[in-house]
C-alpha cells in the first residue's frame, strides 16, 4: 500500500518518540488514536539523494508486497509523503535489536543457534524469491527471547541468476553502482567489495550466508571477527586469502564445520543460499551448540591489510 491509496493510515497517525536512528533514517513511534494501535514509522532524518530515496522505496516495496514470512518484519504501508518524504510503516515489535543484546554480553551458543536458525529461515524465503538482503547484521535483526525477525531490505537486490533468468520486461534495475561497495564492512563478503571503477559485484545469495556466519560468531564471541581503526582495514581482512579465523576448537565440531562453510571466502565453496544453510543446520545433533566454547581472553584482532578501495 502506498500513499496513493485511500486507505492510507499515514494521515491519521500521531508521531511520538524516536525508537531508533541510523545513518540516514529515523524510526518513530506512530499511534492510531481511535484504535489505540501503535506502529513503527521509518523515514529519512536528513537530506537524501535520489539514489537513497530509490533504495528506501525499493526495500519498502519488498517488505510490503513480496516478502511474507514470520521471521521477516512485515511492511504495512509505504510511500512518498509531502511532509515526511519516503516512509515505511511497520508493526511496533517487542524486543530489541540483536546488536543491543550483544552489548550486554556474549550470547550462549544454543540461544544463538535458536535465533539464527530463524534468520536462516527468513533468508531461505527471500532467496527463493531471488532476493538477496545484502546488509544482514545484528542491528537488522529484531529479537525477543524466542523469536528473531529480519528487517531493513534497503540494500536488497535480485541475485544475478534471477536477473539473468528473468524476461527483460520483468528485470529489476540494480541500484548498486559499479565501482562502489554497499553494505556494512564487518559483514561484507569479499565478492561484494569493489576494487575498481566500472566493476560491478556479482551478487548471489551466498553473500547473505557469509554475513550470517559473521553474525553468528559475533553473537557468541561478543565482538565482530574483523575489526580495525578504518573501513579499509576491515575490508582488507575480508579480501585476504586466509580463512576467516574461528575460535580454537570450533573447526573440529559439527556446527563449527557449518560455520566454516558459511565463511568460505570463495563463494563457489560457500554454502550457496538460505535453503542449503537450513538443510545443513537440520542435520546437526541437538548437542551441536554445546560443543562450541570460547576463551574470550584469546580473542584477538586480525592484522589489518591496507588496500586501495572505493567505499560508499
Amino acid at each position: 500500500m502506498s500513499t496513493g491509496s485511500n486507505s492510507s493510515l499515514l494521515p491519521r497517525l500521531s508521531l511520538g518518540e524516536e525508537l531508533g536512528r541510523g545513518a540516514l533514517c529515523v524510526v518513530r513511534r506512530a499511534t492510531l488514536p481511535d484504535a489505540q494501535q501503535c506502529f513503527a514509522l521509518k523515514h529519512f532524518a536528513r537530506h537524501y539523494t535520489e539514489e537513497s530515496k530509490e533504495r528506501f522505496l525499493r526495500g519498502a516495496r519488498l517488505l510490503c508486497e513480496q516478502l511474507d514470512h514470520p521471521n521477516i518484519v512485515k511492511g504495512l504501508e509505504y510511500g512518498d509523503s509531502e511532509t515526511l518524504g519516503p516512509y515505511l510503516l511497520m508493526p511496533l515489535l517487542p524486543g530489541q535489536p540483536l546488536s543491543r543484546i550483544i552489548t550486554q554480553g556474549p550470547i550462549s551458543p544454543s540461544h544463538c543457534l535458536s535465533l539464527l536458525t530463524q534468520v536462516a529461515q527468513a533468508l531461505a524465503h527471500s532467496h527463493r524469491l531471488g532476493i538477496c538482503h545484502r546488509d544482514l547484521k545484528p542491528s537488522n535483526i529484531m529479537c525477543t527471547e524466542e523469536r528473531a525477525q529480519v528487517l531493513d531490505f534497503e540494500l536488497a537486490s535480485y541475485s544475478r541468476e534471477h536477473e539473468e533468468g528473468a524476461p527483460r520486461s520483468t528485470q529489476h534495475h540494480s541500484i548498486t553502482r559499479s565501482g562502489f561497495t554497499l553494505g556494512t564492512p564487518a559483514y561484507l563478503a569479499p565478492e561484494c567489495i569493489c576494487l575498481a571503477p566500472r566493476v560491478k559485484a556479482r551478487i548471489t545469495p551466498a553473500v547473505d550466508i557469509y554475513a550470517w556466519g559473521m553474525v553468528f560468531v559475533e553473537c557468541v564471541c561478543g565482538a565482530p571477527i574483523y575489526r580495525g581503526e578504518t573501513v579499509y582495514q576491515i575490508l582488507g581482512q575480508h579480501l585476504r586469502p586466509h580463512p576467516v579465523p574461528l575460535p580454537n576448537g570450533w573447526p573440529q565440531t559439527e556446527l563449527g564445520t557449518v560455520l566454516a562453510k558459511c565463511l568460505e571466502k570463495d563463494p563457489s565453496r560457500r554454502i550457496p543460499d538460505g535453503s542449503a544453510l537450513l538443510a545443513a543446520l537440520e542435520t546437526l545433533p541437538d548437542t551441536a551448540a554445546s560443543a562450541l566454547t570460547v576463551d574470550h581472553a584469546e580473542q584477538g584482532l586480525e592484522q589489518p591489510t591496507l588496500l586501495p578501495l572505493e567505499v560508499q
Side-chain angles (χ1 to χ4, degrees), residues 181-190 192-195 210 226-228 230-240 265 304-312:
T181 296
L182 295 176
T184 303
Y187 313 96
L188 274 176
C192 291
I193 302 170
C194 298
L195 288 168
Y210 186 88
Y226 290 149
R227 290 159 280 174
T230 69
V231 168
Y232 302 101
Q233 290 177 352
I234 298 170
L235 296 181
Q237 293 169 78
H238 289 293
L239 290 172
R240 292 174 67 192
K265 293 190 175 181
T305 301
L306 299 180
L307 294 167
L309 306 174
E310 286 195 71
V311 185
Q312 178 171 283

Side-chain angles (χ1 to χ4, degrees), residues 191-215:
E191 66 270 23
C192 291
I193 302 170
C194 298
L195 288 168
R198 297 180 298 281
V199 174
K200 181 172 285 190
R202 183 173 181 85
I203 302 303
T204 71
V207 304
D208 291 338
I209 303 306
Y210 186 88
W212 186 93
M214 286 286 176
V215 171

Side-chain angles (χ1 to χ4, degrees), residues 1-9:
M1 181 193 302
S2 69
T3 50
S5 170
N6 292 331
S7 57
S8 172
L9 293 173

Side-chain angles (χ1 to χ4, degrees), residues 50 85 121 163 238 262 264 276:
E50 281 300 311
Q121 291 168 344
E163 292 280 2
H238 289 293
C262 290
E264 285 279 1

